[in-house]
Amino acid sequence: MLIIRPFLTPMPSLSLIIPLFNRPLTLARILRALDTQTLAASRFETIFVDDSGPESYAIQAAVLDAAPPKCRWSLLNTGLPRDVNGVSVARNKAIRAAKGSIIVFMDDDCVPNPHLLEQHLMAHDADPNLAAVGNRSEDEKILSLAPPIPILRDKCAREAAKSAKGELGAGSFVTANASAKTKHLHAAGLFDESFAKPGEYGYEDRDLGARLLKAGAKFRFLQDAAVWIAPKESDPWAGKREAAQAAARARYHDKHDGAVKKAVRKLFGKKK
């Protein structure tokens, strides 16, 4: 008897999550870069989550409709107003929808080197407790380089040095280029969505990094998992980023500082 089994699409090993904020030119470059990844298209999925406000959703959708990547992909949205930095909400929505056992985070002003996803996957296959941050540069030439990829940014050089000593801290969990296992993200409680407030910017990734470290994750810098940080097409925080970061920083310290540290900050009027 001939038995015909239905074709089953294999589950992806890795899910790439990218929040979007009205940067169509860079998004088009990201889509082209996804098609050049050395990791086979069947091994990963990409989940885009639009956080640019309902008035701008059609802009990103049009770019994806015009030239969708060859990998499996989906487009979600946060439903939040444009003035709310909702990347914590966006990433949580994507994590809950993700099919991969490993999550790679990237920003929409970053374009991936062809080896990015393969390098993240190889690192996680080698270490069951890994949480990683990747190489980042404002120099576009990083896109054309093959491993070993040089470190072209001072901040990344400092992260690499700390990683070599096993001293990479929560502040290095920069979700412009970072990864963790899906089960560890869920166990840590995902991103704290209280950081998605008007007038606040940042620290939601550092907050999750602190919880991952507390849960026993091993932080490591991946030199050969690289992205190019492109010039920003749009930036809602231009001119007010410092104040918005100060507000988010205060939320972070209120959550993580012990009673003694809080008292010292209050007594000496230190910035939060």
Side-chain angles (χ1 to χ4, degrees):
M1 178 184 292
L2 177 64
I3 300 176
I4 300 176
R5 292 184 173 88
F7 175 76
L8 298 178
T9 303
M11 295 289 281
S13 303
L14 181 151
S15 298
L16 172 64
I17 293 174
I18 307 176
L20 303 177
F21 190 91
N22 197 14
R23 291 167 181 154
L25 297 178
T26 311
L27 176 57
R29 292 202 60 166
I30 290 170
L31 300 183
R32 294 194 295 270
L34 292 178
D35 287 342
T36 67
Q37 289 295 300
T38 55
L39 184 66
S42 61
R43 301 288 306 279
F44 71 97
E45 65 175 348
T46 304
I47 306 175
F48 302 97
V49 191
D50 202 331
D51 187 44
S52 59
E55 65 270 33
S56 295
Y57 289 162
I59 296 173
Q60 284 69 237
V63 176
L64 281 157
D65 288 343
K70 294 175 183 176
C71 63
R72 70 186 83 189
W73 63 275
S74 57
L75 174 61
L76 310 173
N77 65 69
T78 62
L80 294 171
R82 188 182 184 90
D83 65 341
V84 174
N85 178 34
V87 292
S88 56
V89 176
R91 292 186 177 119
N92 281 352
K93 183 169 283 194
I95 293 168
R96 294 185 181 104
K99 296 180 175 63
S101 60
I102 296 162
I103 301 291
V104 175
F105 299 105
M106 196 178 80
D107 286 344
D108 70 339
D109 61 351
C110 296
V111 180
N113 175 283
H115 301 271
L116 175 82
L117 299 181
E118 184 177 36
Q119 289 294 321
H120 275 287
L121 182 59
M122 288 171 56
H124 280 277
D125 284 347
D127 188 342
N129 295 314
L130 181 71
V133 58
N135 197 352
R136 310 173 304 282
S137 176
E138 289 87 356
D139 191 334
E140 189 175 357
K141 75 178 182 183
I142 204 166
L143 295 179
S144 61
L145 301 177
I149 297 175
I151 299 173
L152 304 175
R153 197 179 195 217
D154 289 344
K155 183 176 181 180
C156 291
R158 293 193 295 271
E159 291 169 351
K162 289 181 179 179
S163 177
K165 298 176 182 178
E167 299 175 354
L168 210 56
S172 295
F173 193 67
V174 180
T175 42
N177 182 6
S179 63
K181 289 188 171 58
T182 309
K183 64 181 181 181
H184 294 163
L185 293 167
H186 281 285
L190 304 184
F191 289 90
D192 184 346
E193 296 184 8
S194 71
F195 284 89
K197 299 291 184 184
E200 294 190 15
Y201 175 86
Y203 280 80
E204 72 286 326
D205 45 5
R206 179 190 293 246
D207 168 71
L208 179 55
R211 286 182 278 122
L212 286 169
L213 276 177
K214 188 175 181 180
K218 297 178 182 177
F219 276 31
R220 180 181 159 202
F221 180 81
L222 304 182
Q223 182 171 335
D224 293 329
V227 300
W228 171 52
I229 304 174
K232 286 182 172 57
E233 298 169 58
S234 61
D235 185 2
W237 303 101
K240 50 187 177 182
R241 186 180 300 272
E242 185 175 346
Q245 285 183 323
R249 185 164 59 245
R251 182 179 299 278
Y252 173 84
H253 284 298
D254 284 343
K255 181 175 180 179
H256 289 278
D257 287 355
V260 173
K261 195 170 183 179
K262 287 180 181 178
V264 170
R265 286 181 177 276
K266 184 175 181 180
L267 180 62
F268 292 98
K270 291 186 177 181
K271 288 184 178 181
K272 294 186 176 183

